[in-house]
């Protein structure tokens, strides 16, 4: 029974997760353009071996049907989904047409749910396993434009040649297409073939009948779901001329990256002396980051030119094929209270391509975060303590892991947690992000602990490994280099000599008002309290999942060095729980860590780590009262890990 439920829940989780990655609308979708769902085709094995037991008494086909019907009941209305089967018409491999035995039983579409249910009901084990032809035809089914996904479900080795070249040929067409594979009770050559399909097809292989292995993954990271790179904000269109730029207020905004030009926005100060902060985040395109986008704040001079206040280069510590989470922030503060950047009624915000050409990232979304901080008088500034020294690392002792927290794939969907030890697992190519409140006088430490295994050592290469960093409240790099790493840590990028106890860590600078005047971005990004973000990224050539714990600790007493702000109507002083990336109305200053999430009541829920997103939440809610629902909630989140290439 346990094995049957694992298979059913695993399939439900993978298929629902594929839809989420292909096109789930992000948090705050009411405030922005809805993401369009991609097109997905389910490719199902109808060979005779599917009538075999799945290890717990029920047949594989029965478990698969149960999972598929659950998925169909909760499909998003706007998702294009179709179904293809193979091995359903020709019984023996020596019969004519055995290696072309594949049929599109339901064309991809949105109004076909009854047809999908009928196809599942008629899904029976019968013939051979012509996987290569099924993949080729599936790629034709979903076309060549936009995001496309093939989900192959099979329990055996191809009986019509090696399917890996077919998967490679699909990937070589340049289609934005990903092939995920779930193997049911497979081993040996059959499993190697299915793993190869996922690898060549830029997808991930999931073993849905390794009861012990899946059990370990569940204990290491229950209730997790990898969602697509998400944004939140109100649509805005910057202009190439600052005189025509749209007016923005504190909040989050979404624009698209343009080529060979800046994009301008105007901001009217609430009162003289306020500090205006601008942050941005976007998804890069190439691992060497040939193009970047930088935030700028300027003031207009008497002769109509722009004088820059502060300029920041965006930061990223991308590892190989890891999802390219690019971020940066800047602000208007100057040490001289009479400088125009401190006194001007209007500021000009901008994004600019660092090389004069945004190249491959053109047309991508960029999330902008705007925040206005109340003024601090010259006397109050003089009374502040000097800028603190960089903190040193303190080894952390992991506690009992908290399970059930779902890490985000970006800042916009990161759960906000408290100090403690959290249980996760990660696949190659992933970014996992969590938020932590950090107050005045505090700095953040995060420690990664896992077990090094022989398979990981075997696949080590330069650039492989796990890397952690801290992102400031508005997307600025806040990581401080650890001057003397402990000898027992694994050096980033080299895993060959890593001990069995795999440990590494990161820390941020101490939050202090005077940090904003420093030249270094890591210091300037910690001139403001608020939700900081720990990002974990993992890169390895092979698809080896790593269960790990992340121990979080905020060091120092909150409130130390807090400035005395002047009172300005409509502005509030920043605190540790200031969340400048939560889904919120454009005019708001950001929501707190309590989890208020604008029009998304199923979003973050503070330190509990509970987190929902659209259709996955609806799926769980719809089946949560059944035994399958409870297992699906746990198992699906394990299987929704996607690798982006």
């Amino acid at each position: 029974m346990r094995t049957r439920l694992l298979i059913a829940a695993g399939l439900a989780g993978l298929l629902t997760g594929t839809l989420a990655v292909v096109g789930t609308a992000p948090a705050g979708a009411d405030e922005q353009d809805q993401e369009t769902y991609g097109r997905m085709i389910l490719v199902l094995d109808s060979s005779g071996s599917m009538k075999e037991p799945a290890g717990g008494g029920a047949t594989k086909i029965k478990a698969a049907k149960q999972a598929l019907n659950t998925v169909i009941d909760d499909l998003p209305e706007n998702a294009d989904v179709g179904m293809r089967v193979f091995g359903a018409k020709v019984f023996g491999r020596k019969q004519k047409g055995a290696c072309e035995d594949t049929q599109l039983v339901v064309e991809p579409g949105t109004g076909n749910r009854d047809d999908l249910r009928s196809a599942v009901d008629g899904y029976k084990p019968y013939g051979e396993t012509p996987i290569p032809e099924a993949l080729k035809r599936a790629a034709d089914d979903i076309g060549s434009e936009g995001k496309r996904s093939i989900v192959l479900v099979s329990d055996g080795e191809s009986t019509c040649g090696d399917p890996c070249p077919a998967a490679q040929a699909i990937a070589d067409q340049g289609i934005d297409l990903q092939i995920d594979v779930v193997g049911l009770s497979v081993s040996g050559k059959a499993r190697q073939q299915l793993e190869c399909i996922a690898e060549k097809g830029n997808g991930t292989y999931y073993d849905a009948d390794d009861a012990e292995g899946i059990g370990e993954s569940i204990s290491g990271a229950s209730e997790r779901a990898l969602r697509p790179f998400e944004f939140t904000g109100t649509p805005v269109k910057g202009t190439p001329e600052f005189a025509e730029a749209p007016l923005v207020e504190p909040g989050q905004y979404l624009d698209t990256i343009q080529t060979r030009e800046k994009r301008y926005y105007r901001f009217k100060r609430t009162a003289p002396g306020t500090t205006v902060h601008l942050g941005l985040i976007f998804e890069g395109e190439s691992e060497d980051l040939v193009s970047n986008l930088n935030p700028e704040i300027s003031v207009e001079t008497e002769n109509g030119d722009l004088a820059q206040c502060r300029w920041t280069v965006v930061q990223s510590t991308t590892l190989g094929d890891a999802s390219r989470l690019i971020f940066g922030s800047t602000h208007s503060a100057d040490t001289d209270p009479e400088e125009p950047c401190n006194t001007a009624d209007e500021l000009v915000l901008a994004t600019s391509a660092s090389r004069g050409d945004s190249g491959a990232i053109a047309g991508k979304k960029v999330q902008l975060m705007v925040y206005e901080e109340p003024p601090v008088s010259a006397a109050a500034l003089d009374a502040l303590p000097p800028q603190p020294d960089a903190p040193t690392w303190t080894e952390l002792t992991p506690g009992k892991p908290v399970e059930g927290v779902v890490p985000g794939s970006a800042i916009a969907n990161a759960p906000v947690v408290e100090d403690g030890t959290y249980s996760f697992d990660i696949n190659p190519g992933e970014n996992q992000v969590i938020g932590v409140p950090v107050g005045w006088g505090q700095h953040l430490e995060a420690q990664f602990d896992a077990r090094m295994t022989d398979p990981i050592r075997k696949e080590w290469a330069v650039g492989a490994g796990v890397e952690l960093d801290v992102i400031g409240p508005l997307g600025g790099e806040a990581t401080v280099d650890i001057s003397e790493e402990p000898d027992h840590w694994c050096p980033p990028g080299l895993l060959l000599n890593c001990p069995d106890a795999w440990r590494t860590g990161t820390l941020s600078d101490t939050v202090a008002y005077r940090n904003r005047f420093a030249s270094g971005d890591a210091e300037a990004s910690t001139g403001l309290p608020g939700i900081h973000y720990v990002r974990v990224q993992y890169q390895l050539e092979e698809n080896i999942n790593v269960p790990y714990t992340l121990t979080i600790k905020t060091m120092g007493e909150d409130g130390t060095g807090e400035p005395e702000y002047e009172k300005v109507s409509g502005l509030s002083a920043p605190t540790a729980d200031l969340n400048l990336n939560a889904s919120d109305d454009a005019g708001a200053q950001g929501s707190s860590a309590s989890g208020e999430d604008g029009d998304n009541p199923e979003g973050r829920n503070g330190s509990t780590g509970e987190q929902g997103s659209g259709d996955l939440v609806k799926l769980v809610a719809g089946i949560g009262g059944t035994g399958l629902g409870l297992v699906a909630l746990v198992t699906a989140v394990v299987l929704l890990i996607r690798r982006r290439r």
Side-chain angles (χ1 to χ4, degrees):
M1 180 67 175
R2 177 172 180 264
T3 303
R4 178 175 64 86
L5 291 177
L6 285 170
I7 292 176
L11 284 169
L14 176 59
L15 301 181
T16 306
T18 298
L19 287 174
V21 172
V22 168
T24 298
D30 291 341
E31 301 173 346
Q32 58 179 286
D33 294 331
Q34 287 276 359
E35 295 284 347
T36 57
Y37 286 94
R39 180 171 291 187
M40 183 178 76
I41 187 77
L42 311 176
V43 182
L44 309 179
D45 187 341
S46 193
S47 63
S49 58
M50 287 290 287
K51 63 186 176 184
E52 296 175 356
T59 62
K60 301 172 188 177
I61 193 75
K62 183 176 181 180
K65 282 187 174 185
Q66 187 176 6
L68 290 167
N69 277 316
T70 299
V71 170
I72 293 168
D73 289 342
D74 292 275
L75 283 174
E77 292 183 2
N78 296 330
D80 268 358
V81 182
M83 184 179 296
R84 173 173 287 277
V85 298
F86 60 89
K89 298 291 185 179
V90 182
F91 183 75
R93 72 182 65 184
K94 293 184 179 180
Q95 292 181 285
K96 183 179 179 180
C99 287
E100 291 78 37
D101 182 15
T102 177
Q103 297 81 37
L104 179 64
V105 292
V106 180
E107 293 188 3
T110 57
N112 58 7
R113 301 332 184 210
D114 289 341
D115 293 338
L116 289 170
R117 293 186 188 95
S118 297
V120 169
D121 289 341
Y123 177 34
K124 296 179 181 179
Y126 186 73
E128 294 297 320
T129 314
I131 296 178
E133 183 66 17
L135 290 176
K136 294 175 184 177
R137 299 288 294 277
D140 294 336
D141 296 337
I142 54 180
S144 59
E145 295 182 359
K147 293 183 178 180
R148 303 290 185 265
S149 183
I150 295 174
V151 176
L152 171 66
V153 180
S154 180
D155 77 329
E157 178 183 346
S158 171
T159 54
C160 295
D162 187 356
C164 287
Q168 183 67 66
I170 293 171
D172 289 344
Q173 294 176 27
I175 302 173
D176 185 7
L177 185 150
Q178 184 165 324
I179 306 174
D180 285 323
V181 181
V182 56
L184 304 180
S185 300
V186 295
S187 60
K189 186 176 180 180
R191 180 171 180 170
Q192 292 175 3
Q193 275 193 354
L194 297 178
E195 288 177 337
C196 181
I197 293 170
E199 178 68 23
K200 300 297 184 183
N202 299 326
T204 302
Y205 171 78
Y206 304 95
D207 194 333
D209 195 24
D210 183 352
E212 292 186 6
I214 292 178
E216 291 174 0
S217 296
I218 293 172
S219 65
S222 62
E223 295 186 13
R224 65 169 299 190
L226 177 66
R227 292 179 292 173
F229 193 96
E230 290 193 11
F231 302 90
T232 183
T234 300
V236 66
K237 187 174 180 60
T239 59
E241 300 295 334
F242 68 86
E244 304 169 355
L247 186 67
V248 296
E249 299 176 347
Q252 303 88 35
Y253 297 89
L254 288 179
D255 203 348
T256 53
I257 300 172
Q258 306 297 319
T259 58
R260 296 187 179 89
E261 60 183 22
K262 293 185 178 182
R263 308 302 285 178
Y264 290 104
Y265 317 86
R266 294 181 298 115
F267 184 93
K268 289 188 176 181
R269 262 200 172 99
T270 304
T274 63
T275 299
V276 177
H277 299 261
L278 171 65
L280 61 79
I281 179 170
F282 66 95
E283 183 183 15
E285 182 63 26
S286 61
E287 63 185 70
D288 58 356
L289 302 179
V290 295
S291 298
N292 268 341
L293 195 70
N294 302 313
E296 299 178 2
I297 296 181
S298 304
V299 293
E300 186 176 1
T301 64
E302 293 181 355
N303 60 8
D305 296 329
L306 291 182
Q308 201 169 85
C309 297
R310 180 184 172 89
W311 182 78
T312 303
V313 177
V314 297
Q315 303 292 325
S316 176
T317 51
T318 300
L319 280 171
D321 287 330
S323 178
R324 285 137 326 245
L325 178 62
I326 318 299
F327 46 86
S329 67
T330 189
H331 58 75
S332 63
D334 193 282
T335 54
D336 183 353
E338 302 302 322
E339 275 293 315
C341 288
N342 286 332
T343 61
D345 293 335
E346 185 173 293
L347 297 172
V348 178
L349 316 183
T351 60
S352 65
S354 61
R355 295 173 183 249
D357 184 353
S358 53
I361 59 175
K364 282 182 170 285
K365 287 185 178 180
V366 55
Q367 177 180 322
L368 305 175
M369 293 86 73
V370 182
Y371 173 66
E372 186 175 17
E373 185 183 8
V376 173
S377 67
L381 180 59
D382 291 339
L384 289 176
Q387 182 181 346
D389 295 331
T392 57
W393 174 258
T394 300
E395 196 88 345
L396 303 179
T397 301
K400 181 180 179 180
V402 176
E403 299 184 356
V405 177
V406 182
S409 59
I411 288 177
N413 61 4
V416 178
V417 304
E418 299 174 341
D419 287 358
T421 299
Y422 297 87
S423 179
F424 302 127
D425 68 276
I426 190 168
N427 268 11
E430 281 195 273
N431 275 249
Q432 295 186 345
V433 186
I434 62 168
V436 185
V438 183
W440 294 110
Q442 294 184 314
H443 73 271
L444 181 63
E445 287 196 4
Q447 181 173 289
F448 171 98
D449 284 284
R451 302 298 301 177
M452 176 56 64
T453 63
D454 288 337
I456 294 176
R457 287 195 185 93
K458 179 181 178 182
E459 300 298 335
W460 81 276
V462 175
V466 166
E467 189 162 336
L468 284 71
D469 53 349
V470 182
I471 304 171
L474 282 107
E477 173 64 68
T479 306
V480 175
D481 290 335
I482 300 175
S483 56
E484 294 184 7
E485 293 184 353
D487 293 337
H488 60 276
W489 280 17
C490 298
L494 293 173
L495 302 181
L496 181 61
N497 298 319
C498 186
D500 291 339
W502 184 2
R503 173 172 288 182
T504 188
T506 189
L507 77 163
S508 70
D509 218 327
T510 302
V511 175
Y513 190 89
R514 292 189 183 278
N515 281 356
R516 67 191 62 200
F517 304 123
S519 58
D521 291 333
E523 296 168 296
S525 295
T526 48
L528 192 71
I531 305 300
H532 287 52
Y533 301 90
V534 177
R535 188 261 297 269
V536 181
Q537 51 182 339
Y538 164 48
Q539 176 56 29
L540 199 67
E541 286 299 319
E542 291 299 313
N543 185 27
I544 301 175
N545 179 266
V546 175
Y548 71 95
T549 62
L550 192 66
T551 302
I552 302 296
K553 180 68 174 177
T554 48
M555 305 291 191
E557 183 177 350
D558 186 9
T560 303
E562 180 178 0
E564 183 178 347
Y565 286 99
E566 296 180 2
K567 295 188 181 300
V568 175
S569 177
L571 300 184
S572 57
T575 57
D577 60 358
L578 177 66
N579 192 339
L580 300 173
N581 298 286
S583 173
D584 208 341
D585 292 333
Q589 287 285 314
S591 62
S592 69
S594 64
E596 294 182 3
D597 206 20
D599 294 329
N600 181 25
E602 297 170 336
R604 286 172 291 279
N605 287 298
S607 61
T608 64
E610 296 176 355
Q611 185 177 358
S613 180
D615 304 299
L616 178 61
V617 172
K618 295 176 185 176
L619 169 63
V620 173
I623 62 177
T626 67
L628 173 61
L630 295 175
V631 179
L633 174 63
V634 177
T635 308
V637 293
V638 177
L639 298 180
L640 299 188
I641 306 169
R642 303 292 303 264
R643 179 172 47 184
R644 286 189 156 195
R645 292 268 179 187

